[in-house]
Amino acid sequence: MAPKGKVYRGSVKEFPGFDASQDAEALYNAMKGFGSDKEAILDLITSRNNKQRVEICQAYKSQYGKDLIADLKYELTGKFERLIVSLMRPPPYSDAKEIKDAIAGVGTDEKCLIEILASRTNQEIHDLVAAYKDAYERDLEADIVGDTSGHFKKMLVVLLQGAREEDDVVSEDLVEQDAKDLLEAGELKWGTDEAQFIYILGRRSKQHLRLVFDEYLKISGKPIERSIRGELSGDFEKLMLAVVKCIRSTAEYFAERLYKAMKGMGTRDNTLIRIMVSRSEIDMLDIREVFRTKYEKSLYNMIKEDTSGEYKKALLKLCGGDDDAAGEFFPEAAQVAYRMWELSAVAKVELRGTVQPTGSFNDDGDAQVLRKAMKGLGTDEGAIIEVLTQRSNAQRQQILKAYKAHYGRDLMADLKSELSGSLAKLILGLMLTPAQYDAKQLRKAVEGAGTDESVLIEIMATRNNQEIKAINEAYQEAYNKQLEDDLSSDTSGHFKRILVSLALGNRDEGPENLTQAHEDAKVVAETLKLADVSSNDSSDSLETRFLSILCTRSYPHLRRVFQEFIKLTNHDVEHAIRKRMSGDVRDAFLAIVRSVKNKPAFFADKLYKSMKGAGTDERTLTRIMISRSEIDLFNIRGEFMDLFDKSLHRMIEKDTSGDYRTALLALCGGED
């Protein structure tokens, strides 16, 4: 059960009124004769904790002179047999069997080694080493050394010592020194000092390392995970990332492993079984909570959709409940969310575009190259792409003038005449100023039948005051209309009020005000019906104040508001808005919240969704690649890799084709 002073967070509990002899008899009866009663077997075994199952094995041997595990192996088959037999072994012996299978025969299951050795406590490691010796009469360290190599082997050996510091007292000086040492061992060094990474990540306490990771973000402007991806490679990189994830949140690490085991075509049943068995008496409730929050569906429902038969029934029993039915947020996930807002507040991230002004710029020379590319029969799309994707927007404006002066022709008109399809939209978009481009996208979103609310939300929720002011001016100049008027006439209700408020470009740009943040958090909590705050405000007045807070408070202040909100309600504001709002209003507020938290991550998510699955949303893909290319596309690339374990470059390459792909990849600016 749970250690003294800690709340038990497993899903499998001690069975009340337990009788080992009675259970042994029930299992014997379920397996005797022709066939076996699988329902009875799974119901009994998944309802007992591991200590009780071990006692049942002993009672079975005493009463029938037979080995229960051997009988279960004989009677059951496939994944169900593997799951039930795994449940019968004590945890250290189960881990030992998994590792033995991972290194036996030809090839090694490095993912299994990484998962077990990166996630276990010192005591669990010591118990595992002893169980391996007892079960196989072999030395675990020697077997792993014989089956692995390089820095991957060295880090596994360090973890096998089970010697991670466990002191909760943290030295601020050592935190700063370790963060500096990691930075100097990787980002600031020609090559990488892997030994420094191994020593610090393999030995320091979890509490200490969490603070080191925070300090690293402050001094480097990027999370430690991104540096590991950039500096390390192969299985060593995967192992170090797993260690970092487990340091941050073991529950989140396993939630991610479970999700990946079931998403897409096919199921990684070995991973699914290993985690469901090994965490069922440790932190399955925490894993469920993080899973529900992170993937917006319950672990229970994903197992239900992805498995079948007795195997599914047994897994669902180990899961212990459906969090979709509860429909609430969770303490563990709230803590993770609070930490994310805290990191968002302290991070000093340098925003970088991928398109920079070219050094030896010659507007007249570029104009000549473009004219030559479009003159005569056929068009040299490659030359057009090479010039226009490698110049800043300011330089493109100079090329427009030079082209007009040199040839008396309108470059935009010539490009429109010579290019077509997705490439034409991309190149013509690059030729507009950022404000003109945004104004055009907004105009397209509101004109004609229907309104493209997603475009309105994306642009209005993510632009700063200066950008909003420039968009208003460009809109007036291009269409002889006020943007605010068009937004008002084409939308309605609270959604209209949000857009009109954002169109004013009146967001405060000052620092946080802690006293005001606490009061604002109360308003947000009451509006979302998550707190009973004594107030004489009517519902409409509350909604007005809520709207004003999200649309006019500064980003630093809102980060503090959202932290105070978690303290008040134990909910994350993003999750609360998803659950309690709907339609365009929900989507607009979510866009604001996600921009405040991490704007590059917001755009990374939109880019991923524009390309995943069947078909490509080229309008969204083009719009974001153009509009962020000189602002933060480099940061978006980093977030894309962190979120989806694949590079933006690779996904564009796979999902698009022809000259359009060539131009997009040029804007992307590199492979991560």
Side-chain angles (χ1 to χ4, degrees):
M1 297 300 284
K4 191 175 179 182
K6 286 195 77 176
V7 177
Y8 182 69
R9 299 294 290 163
S11 54
V12 174
K13 299 178 175 64
E14 192 175 276
F15 188 75
F18 171 67
D19 186 323
S21 298
Q22 191 175 308
D23 284 351
E25 184 180 353
L27 289 171
Y28 180 78
N29 290 333
M31 291 186 284
K32 76 176 181 180
F34 185 71
S36 55
D37 186 348
K38 297 181 179 66
E39 190 82 32
I41 293 169
L42 82 86
D43 192 54
L44 191 150
I45 289 175
T46 58
S47 301
R48 309 303 188 261
N49 69 11
N50 191 265
K51 181 174 176 291
Q52 291 173 331
R53 290 183 212 118
V54 170
E55 289 181 43
I56 294 169
C57 282
Q58 293 164 350
Y60 193 90
K61 186 91 167 183
S62 299
Q63 289 167 226
Y64 305 106
K66 301 177 76 175
D67 184 280
L68 176 54
I69 290 180
D71 280 2
L72 288 167
K73 281 184 178 178
Y74 180 79
E75 292 291 332
L76 308 177
T77 59
K79 296 172 283 194
F80 180 56
E81 176 257 321
R82 181 175 168 81
L83 173 60
I84 293 298
V85 168
S86 294
L87 285 167
M88 300 309 297
R89 296 190 183 100
Y93 285 83
S94 187
D95 279 351
K97 176 72 165 61
E98 291 290 330
I99 286 185
K100 180 66 175 167
D101 290 347
I103 59 179
V106 180
T108 305
D109 183 353
E110 290 86 1
K111 288 180 181 176
C112 174
L113 295 181
I114 289 169
E115 179 194 299
I116 291 174
L117 295 180
S119 65
R120 301 312 192 243
T121 64
N122 287 347
Q123 189 57 55
E124 287 167 344
I125 293 287
H126 297 154
D127 293 344
L128 160 62
V129 170
Y132 192 91
K133 184 80 170 174
D134 181 50
Y136 306 110
E137 297 181 349
R138 297 178 65 87
D139 181 71
L140 177 55
E141 183 179 325
D143 280 0
I144 284 181
V145 166
D147 214 62
T148 57
S149 61
H151 297 298
F152 179 56
K153 174 181 74 177
K154 290 175 186 173
M155 185 61 178
L156 289 176
V157 169
V158 168
L159 295 173
L160 267 175
Q161 307 315 302
R164 185 174 296 286
E165 296 164 359
E166 295 179 332
D167 190 355
D168 283 338
V169 178
V170 176
S171 160
E172 287 184 20
D173 290 343
L174 187 56
V175 165
E176 290 177 7
Q177 187 60 50
D178 280 350
K180 186 169 172 250
D181 288 347
L182 286 172
L183 187 60
E184 289 176 352
E187 297 281 343
L188 302 183
K189 187 179 177 68
W190 181 261
T192 305
D193 183 357
E194 289 87 353
Q196 192 73 275
F197 277 84
I198 290 170
Y199 179 77
I200 294 172
L201 296 183
R203 296 297 301 273
R204 298 287 194 240
S205 73
K206 284 192 169 188
Q207 181 62 26
H208 174 86
L209 284 173
R210 287 181 192 123
L211 295 174
V212 169
F213 299 158
D214 292 352
E215 181 65 22
Y216 187 92
L217 180 64
K218 284 183 195 174
I219 63 175
S220 71
K222 63 174 71 173
I224 185 72
E225 291 92 335
R226 199 173 302 163
S227 292
I228 287 172
R229 285 194 178 96
E231 297 296 324
L232 311 180
S233 62
D235 293 322
F236 181 47
E237 173 199 340
K238 290 171 189 168
L239 174 58
M240 298 306 258
L241 286 172
V243 168
V244 170
K245 286 175 182 176
C246 288
I247 295 296
R248 289 197 188 278
S249 169
T250 308
E252 188 167 3
Y253 170 71
F254 282 114
E256 185 181 319
R257 292 277 297 157
L258 285 168
Y259 179 74
K260 288 181 177 177
M262 291 182 280
K263 78 167 184 175
M265 296 292 288
T267 304
R268 297 183 181 93
D269 291 293
N270 287 352
T271 301
L272 180 56
I273 290 168
R274 185 170 59 245
I275 297 173
M276 294 303 291
V277 170
S278 66
R279 311 313 292 185
S280 61
E281 294 183 43
I282 299 174
D283 54 2
M284 184 57 71
L285 298 185
D286 293 334
I287 292 167
R288 273 170 43 186
E289 293 171 359
V290 174
F291 193 100
R292 176 65 183 82
T293 303
K294 192 166 184 177
Y295 303 112
E296 295 178 26
K297 71 188 302 180
S298 69
L299 175 59
Y300 186 96
N301 266 329
M302 196 155 183
I303 291 170
K304 197 173 176 181
E305 292 167 5
D306 214 61
T307 58
S308 60
E310 282 85 9
Y311 176 54
K312 173 173 78 175
K313 290 175 186 173
L315 287 171
L316 292 177
K317 291 266 285 182
L318 293 179
C319 183
D322 183 2
D323 300 308
D324 281 341
E328 281 299 322
F329 203 66
F330 312 100
E332 168 75 12
Q335 290 169 27
V336 172
Y338 187 87
R339 200 84 189 109
M340 289 303 297
W341 282 114
E342 205 163 51
L343 289 174
S344 174
V346 300
K348 299 288 187 291
V349 179
E350 179 192 353
L351 297 179
R352 286 172 57 191
T354 52
V355 174
Q356 311 291 338
T358 194
S360 53
F361 176 60
N362 180 337
D363 54 358
D364 199 53
D366 284 345
Q368 290 178 48
V369 170
L370 292 172
R371 180 64 188 144
K372 184 180 177 184
M374 294 184 282
K375 194 175 179 182
L377 191 63
T379 305
D380 185 351
E381 287 89 352
I384 295 170
I385 292 167
E386 187 176 347
V387 170
L388 296 181
T389 60
Q390 302 305 310
R391 306 296 184 267
S392 68
N393 191 270
Q395 290 175 331
R396 291 185 211 115
Q397 302 312 308
Q398 289 179 248
I399 294 170
L400 280 170
K401 292 174 185 173
Y403 192 91
K404 184 84 169 179
H406 201 90
Y407 302 106
R409 300 173 66 92
D410 185 332
L411 176 55
M412 291 287 280
D414 282 0
L415 289 168
K416 195 178 288 189
S417 168
E418 295 292 328
L419 304 176
S420 62
S422 302
L423 177 65
K425 289 172 185 168
L426 179 64
I427 294 297
L428 291 168
L430 287 170
M431 298 309 298
L432 297 171
T433 67
Q436 288 170 343
Y437 183 71
D438 279 349
K440 186 173 183 180
Q441 299 306 302
L442 291 168
R443 179 66 178 168
K444 281 185 177 179
V446 296
E447 71 180 350
T451 305
D452 190 340
E453 291 85 0
S454 65
V455 173
L456 300 182
I457 291 167
E458 178 197 307
I459 294 174
M460 301 309 297
T462 60
R463 302 315 193 243
N464 61 35
N465 290 346
Q466 191 176 346
E467 289 166 339
I468 292 287
K469 184 183 175 188
I471 291 168
N472 275 302
E473 290 171 357
Y475 198 93
Q476 173 72 40
E477 185 179 344
Y479 308 111
N480 292 316
K481 299 185 79 173
Q482 294 284 337
L483 173 59
E484 183 183 330
D485 293 341
D486 274 2
L487 292 173
S488 294
S489 63
D490 215 61
T491 57
S492 61
H494 289 304
F495 183 53
K496 175 175 80 173
R497 292 171 63 194
I498 294 166
L499 293 177
V500 168
S501 178
L502 293 171
L504 296 174
N506 281 338
R507 187 176 293 284
D508 182 41
E509 295 176 343
E512 67 179 59
N513 178 325
L514 186 53
T515 305
Q516 184 63 55
H518 187 70
E519 292 305 310
D520 287 348
K522 286 182 182 178
V523 172
V524 174
E526 192 175 2
T527 308
L528 293 171
K529 297 180 171 56
L530 285 169
D532 246 346
V533 182
S534 69
S535 161
N536 297 320
D537 288 344
S538 66
S539 174
D540 190 56
S541 174
L542 270 173
E543 287 167 356
T544 299
R545 289 174 65 195
F546 176 79
L547 187 149
S548 175
I549 289 165
L550 265 70
C551 294
T552 66
R553 300 287 196 255
S554 72
Y555 274 26
H557 181 80
L558 282 174
R559 291 187 186 107
R560 177 59 66 185
V561 171
F562 299 151
Q563 282 182 275
E564 292 298 310
F565 178 84
I566 294 173
K567 285 184 190 175
L568 276 175
T569 67
N570 214 23
H571 288 61
D572 180 48
V573 70
E574 184 177 340
H575 182 87
I577 288 170
R578 283 186 197 280
K579 295 293 289 184
R580 287 166 171 78
M581 292 184 167
S582 61
D584 298 326
V585 171
R586 176 199 61 200
D587 294 343
F589 282 138
L590 282 175
I592 293 169
V593 169
R594 296 182 67 200
S595 294
V596 172
K597 183 185 285 183
N598 185 333
K599 198 177 287 185
F602 169 76
F603 283 113
D605 183 60
K606 284 192 71 74
L607 283 170
Y608 178 76
K609 286 175 179 171
S610 76
M611 292 182 279
K612 77 167 185 174
T616 304
D617 178 0
E618 290 184 350
R619 285 188 65 192
T620 299
L621 177 57
T622 300
R623 185 174 60 250
I624 295 174
M625 294 297 289
I626 290 173
S627 64
R628 310 314 294 183
S629 61
E630 292 185 51
I631 300 173
D632 55 3
L633 190 52
F634 183 82
N635 307 82
I636 291 168
R637 274 171 38 189
E639 294 295 340
F640 196 98
M641 179 65 93
D642 290 347
L643 288 167
F644 307 112
D645 284 333
K646 61 179 74 176
S647 71
L648 176 59
H649 186 281
R650 187 73 51 85
M651 200 155 179
I652 290 171
E653 198 170 46
K654 181 182 168 189
D655 214 63
T656 59
S657 61
D659 293 319
Y660 177 58
R661 174 173 64 188
T662 303
L664 286 172
L665 292 177
L667 291 179
C668 184
E671 166 66 283
D672 298 302

